[in-house]
Amino acid sequence: KKVKDLRDPETFYLSVCPCLSYEDESSLHINSFPHGERSLQVALEGVDDYDFLIIDCPPAMNALTKMALVASDGVLVPLRNDLFSFEGLTKMLAESASIKQRVNQDLSFLGVFFTQDKENTRLSIQMKQVFSEKLKDNYIPIAIPESVIVSESTYERIPANLYKPWSLIDLKYRALTGEIMNRLGVETKSKTKLRAQLSGKEKAGIK
C-alpha cells in the first residue's frame, strides 16, 4: 500500500504509520519487496503535505533500515553512550556513504546525539569528548538523559513533553529539536528563552 492511503485524516498535524514487528523485520531481505531497496521510496510517493517525514528505524542495518536510507534526504542517529554504539555507528556511516554514492545523492548526515544518557558519570563525559573529537560538526552536543518520565509516559501512551511539560527531559527534547531545525535551515522561535530555561533546570538538578 501507499503510505498516503494509511493515514488517519482526523489528525491534521501528525500521522503515525505502523510497520512490522522487530521479529518480522529481522527475517526480511531486500529482494522480498517488489521494488527492492527503493520500495519505501515508492510507498512514500504522493505524501507531500507534511513539513517532515520521520522514519524510525530499528537499531540494526537490516532491509528496512537500508530502504529508509534510500528514501530519506537526511540521517539522524541517536546513540546510547557505550562502545558498542560506536561500532554500530561506523557501520551506519559506511552504509550511508554507499547508498549516497549508488542511489541517493540527496542523502545528508544531520548528526549524532546521545540518548538514555547517564549524565555526569565518568564514562558519559569521556564518550562525549571522544565523539566530539571524532565527529566534529556531526556531533550534536545535546544529550537526552535517562529519565523515569520517559518510561512513565511510554506506559501511559502520552508523549513525554505532554506528560511532564517543561520538565528537564521536555526542555532537552525541545533543545534537540531546535538544533535539528537549525541544521535543516528552519527558523525556530524563543531559542534564547529555551536555552535559559534549560540552563536553569540543569543547574538546579531538576528532573
Side-chain angles (χ1 to χ4, degrees):
K1 288 185 177 182
K2 295 281 189 178
V3 171
K4 64 183 179 66
D5 298 324
L6 299 175
R7 295 179 297 174
D8 181 357
E10 299 300 320
T11 54
F12 65 95
Y13 65 93
L14 175 68
S15 296
V16 178
C17 294
C19 194
L20 303 170
S21 69
Y22 186 73
E23 289 75 15
D24 292 333
E25 292 172 6
S26 60
S27 63
L28 292 176
H29 190 272
I30 288 287
N31 295 332
S32 307
F33 297 88
H35 299 282
E37 61 186 2
R38 294 185 181 272
S39 293
L40 183 55
Q41 187 179 50
V42 172
L44 289 170
E45 289 176 355
V47 183
D48 53 10
D49 51 350
Y50 287 90
D51 294 321
F52 299 99
L53 295 176
I54 301 174
I55 306 172
D56 187 23
C57 299
M61 189 52 64
N62 60 18
L64 294 183
T65 302
K66 292 178 181 179
M67 287 192 292
L69 290 171
V70 172
S72 301
D73 52 20
V75 182
L76 185 66
V77 184
L79 287 180
R80 295 193 66 169
N81 207 332
D82 57 48
L83 291 173
F84 294 109
S85 294
F86 186 78
E87 293 176 3
L89 175 63
T90 302
K91 295 177 181 178
M92 165 66 77
L93 293 175
E95 188 65 33
S96 297
S98 172
I99 287 175
K100 180 179 178 69
Q101 185 178 25
R102 291 188 298 106
V103 290
N104 184 4
Q105 294 182 353
D106 293 330
L107 186 64
S108 63
F109 191 68
L110 295 177
V112 170
F113 67 94
F114 285 121
T115 186
Q116 294 178 292
D117 181 44
K118 294 180 171 63
E119 292 185 307
N120 300 321
T121 63
R122 186 170 64 178
L123 176 61
S124 174
I125 294 169
Q126 288 176 340
M127 290 297 290
K128 287 172 185 173
Q129 183 176 355
V130 168
F131 273 71
S132 177
E133 291 172 355
K134 288 185 176 295
L135 297 177
K136 302 189 185 307
D137 290 342
N138 287 325
Y139 171 69
I140 300 176
I142 300 171
I144 304 301
E146 205 171 46
S147 173
V148 67
I149 291 174
V150 176
S151 301
E152 290 175 352
S153 64
T154 302
Y155 179 78
E156 296 292 342
R157 296 180 181 273
I158 301 173
N161 66 312
L162 298 180
Y163 181 73
K164 289 286 186 181
W166 302 109
S167 61
L168 177 59
I169 194 77
D170 177 30
L171 292 175
K172 285 280 191 175
Y173 274 118
R174 288 172 184 263
L176 177 63
T177 302
E179 176 61 26
I180 294 168
M181 293 291 200
N182 184 55
R183 290 175 181 235
L184 290 170
V186 179
E187 290 291 330
T188 57
K189 298 179 181 179
S190 305
K191 193 176 292 184
T192 303
K193 181 179 178 182
L194 177 60
R195 286 199 190 105
Q197 290 170 326
L198 181 56
S199 176
K201 291 264 186 177
E202 289 178 322
K203 287 178 181 178
I206 297 173
K207 301 297 184 183

